[in-house]
Amino acid sequence: MFNNKHCPRCSTKMPKEAMVCPSCGLNYIKFNEATNKEAKEALSQGEKDKVLYRTGCPSDVKRWKLILMCIFLGYMGGHHYYVGRKYWGLFYTCFFLIGVINAIVTMFFPQVINTDAFQVFYLLVLIWGIVIVMWIVDIFKICFNKCKIPVSRS
């Protein structure tokens, strides 16, 4: 049951001790040595086909730094920006700002709460709550080495 693994490139099921994927030829020794720096550059240039995702931290990503970024800046997407996943970081940042705006409107303009326009904010706060839950899950994923981090394909 646990003697198999899946190739990160082609998802082929193979024995856990295999060093090369029989379908696509991915060399696991090179894959484990791949860096996040090259993946960040590829993602910033829009070349997603040059990036694979691996569980655990590559050599150029400090795990303790990633944990601290997730704990203290994770609700704003800081840990995603750190590993080069800017769209996920932007998602977290947008909903963090929506939550802040909602809190400000609720505190300083209580008469707006009963209007129909404010009903949209209720939906956004629900999504904001989901992002907070995702942030907490990300903390656990990083702590238990289950977080997927982009690395260079080559």
Side-chain angles (χ1 to χ4, degrees), residues 37-97:
K37 182 180 179 184
E38 296 167 355
K40 280 191 220 180
E41 291 172 8
L43 286 172
S44 68
Q45 295 171 359
E47 299 171 338
K48 291 182 181 182
D49 57 327
K50 292 185 177 181
V51 176
L52 293 174
Y53 292 88
R54 69 173 273 190
T55 319
C57 293
S59 60
D60 59 340
V61 174
K62 305 288 185 238
R63 188 166 172 241
W64 63 270
K65 197 174 189 180
L66 186 61
I67 290 170
L68 289 176
M69 297 236 359
C70 188
I71 290 171
F72 294 110
L73 297 173
Y75 54 89
M76 292 186 291
H79 60 296
H80 287 293
Y81 290 120
Y82 176 61
V83 295
R85 298 176 80 185
K86 64 181 178 183
Y87 293 115
W88 273 106
L90 190 61
F91 174 77
Y92 277 63
T93 302
C94 287
F95 281 101
F96 169 73
L97 292 175

